[in-house]
Amino acid sequence: MNQTIKLFPIIFIIAICLLASCNKEEVVTPSPQVEFLLEWGSGGERDGEFNQPIGIAIDDEGFVYVSDSKNNRIQKFSEFGELYSLWSDGGTEDTALKTPMHITTDGKNVYVTEYETDRVQKFSPENKSISTFGKSDEKGSLDAPSGAAVDQNGNVYIASFYSRTVKKYSPTGEFLLQIGSPGKEEDGALNYPTDVAIGADGNVYVADAYNNRVQVFNPEGEFIRKWGDTPKLGDKAAQGSFNVAAGIDTDKNGRVYVADFYNHRIQTFDDGGNFIMSFGTQGTGEIEFERPTDIAVDNKGNVYVVDWGNDRVQKIKINPQEIK
């Protein structure tokens, strides 16, 4: 693999600050639809600090996992932001983490995508590496794996950033099928996808980052629908439009949450792609973000946002009674 070529879109994933404007936008009063609960983290290498965090996931017990990419480790927190454990390898030099990206859990085990090694590692609750996959054969091989999700049957879906596809694996890591193909306009065509989520309906929701849209497929890889790729009057900041759809998650009610990277906000939709609400603006305060990369929703409906540029996680409560 040509490492020089591989570094280009990682500008988004790892070093996009070099290209993004750091000027603060006008502060917007937070919507009554959302309520700030807490935040944790700051820039650094010590326990509980982050250096460009990327992904986030929540297990069945409510523990929150964050991929601390430039520190090459995973940190595990309580729902109150208290550090529980951390690890940088799975027990051996061969299982040392190298630029962990997005992260997911089957409720118990943790799956981590690694940018540098083009693989996925599966870890036990005790932080031990159980298996790796993604480099087994040509069809199932990954090129800069990013997003990850697990369905109710234990199948694993991985957004392969440079392959511009999503790949589906069995619970044991056997390649099953490819979802999508490289492209920019056609239904089902992907342009550097960064994340994937499984909806309450069992369908596969893909953050098609550089097509500025979300695409939905069934578990067999058939295209269902898309939204967000036709901004009104070309305005990527309009409601329902994206300026790099970076991370995605769904809740038990079928709502879809998207981290809208350059717009410094989170947008929420129903499973049909109809816009519900958005929150966040650029900044360092409460419910302000500096290029969010991922979100996770717990079983209480609280939303955790990876605030990449601010090296922190914010926990935010959604007030359903305020959502029209």
Side-chain angles (χ1 to χ4, degrees):
M1 183 189 308
N2 187 316
Q3 294 296 321
T4 301
I5 294 175
K6 188 174 180 179
L7 287 175
F8 167 63
I10 201 68
I11 290 173
F12 154 65
I13 301 178
I14 298 297
I16 203 159
C17 189
L18 297 176
L19 297 180
S21 168
C22 293
N23 294 326
K24 299 290 191 300
E25 297 178 355
E26 181 182 356
V27 175
V28 177
T29 302
S31 167
Q33 297 170 329
V34 296
E35 176 186 348
F36 173 83
L37 295 179
L38 62 93
E39 67 174 69
W40 69 86
S42 60
E45 300 178 354
R46 294 180 296 181
D47 294 358
E49 296 179 336
F50 302 116
N51 189 352
Q52 297 182 353
I54 295 288
I56 191 166
I58 303 170
D59 68 16
D60 286 347
E61 295 184 12
F63 286 108
V64 181
Y65 300 82
V66 182
S67 57
D68 189 7
S69 66
K70 297 248 350 207
N71 284 327
N72 293 306
R73 65 187 182 185
I74 304 301
Q75 298 199 64
K76 179 179 179 179
F77 301 88
S78 74
E79 63 178 301
F80 305 107
E82 302 160 328
L83 182 64
Y84 185 82
S85 67
L86 58 82
W87 73 93
S88 58
D89 61 65
T92 70
E93 183 178 350
D94 288 340
T95 57
L97 291 165
K98 296 179 176 63
T99 316
M101 302 302 294
H102 285 265
I103 187 169
T104 192
T105 173
D106 57 15
K108 180 179 179 181
N109 301 300
V110 177
Y111 300 77
V112 182
T113 60
E114 293 181 67
Y115 173 78
E116 289 188 31
T117 59
D118 295 320
R119 70 182 179 186
V120 179
Q121 281 203 74
K122 179 180 179 180
F123 291 91
S124 71
E126 293 74 35
N127 310 338
K128 299 300 181 182
S129 181
I130 299 173
S131 63
T132 63
F133 59 91
K135 303 180 73 171
S136 57
D137 56 63
E138 183 177 353
K139 290 184 178 180
S141 64
L142 296 167
D143 194 354
S146 183
V150 182
D151 68 19
Q152 62 181 0
N153 297 315
N155 298 309
V156 185
Y157 300 77
I158 304 295
S160 185
F161 191 71
Y162 281 94
S163 301
R164 293 185 286 169
T165 58
V166 170
K167 301 197 176 184
K168 179 180 179 179
Y169 301 85
S170 73
T172 59
E174 177 187 0
F175 174 72
L176 298 177
L177 62 87
Q178 175 178 299
I179 297 175
S181 58
K184 294 185 178 181
E185 296 181 2
E186 301 84 4
D187 293 349
L190 301 173
N191 193 24
Y192 302 111
T194 51
D195 202 9
V196 60
I198 306 302
D201 54 9
N203 290 323
V204 183
Y205 292 75
V206 181
D208 188 9
Y210 286 90
N211 278 330
N212 296 306
R213 64 186 179 185
V214 170
Q215 295 203 67
V216 187
F217 303 83
N218 69 19
E220 288 70 48
E222 298 170 334
F223 171 82
I224 297 176
R225 71 180 68 90
K226 64 182 179 180
W227 69 84
D229 58 341
T230 53
K232 184 178 181 180
L233 300 178
D235 181 9
K236 292 182 179 180
Q239 289 184 345
S241 297
F242 305 111
N243 195 351
V244 179
I248 191 166
D249 198 17
T250 61
D251 67 18
K252 60 184 179 182
N253 296 310
R255 288 186 287 262
V256 182
Y257 300 77
V258 183
D260 192 1
F261 190 77
Y262 277 122
N263 284 326
H264 314 283
R265 67 185 179 186
I266 306 300
Q267 296 201 72
T268 306
F269 305 84
D270 66 21
D271 55 11
N274 299 300
F275 175 82
I276 297 175
M277 58 172 285
S278 69
F279 57 90
T281 186
Q282 188 176 20
T284 59
E286 297 176 359
I287 316 182
E288 294 180 347
F289 310 114
E290 189 65 45
R291 290 152 292 164
T293 52
D294 202 9
I295 61 277
V297 186
D298 67 16
N299 57 16
K300 300 176 184 177
N302 298 311
V303 179
Y304 298 74
V305 180
V306 179
D307 193 0
W308 180 86
N310 288 321
D311 287 312
R312 66 181 178 178
V313 172
Q314 291 194 63
K315 181 179 179 180
I316 295 164
K317 179 182 179 181
I318 303 294
N319 296 317
Q321 68 273 16
E322 299 289 348
I323 299 176
K324 297 181 180 181

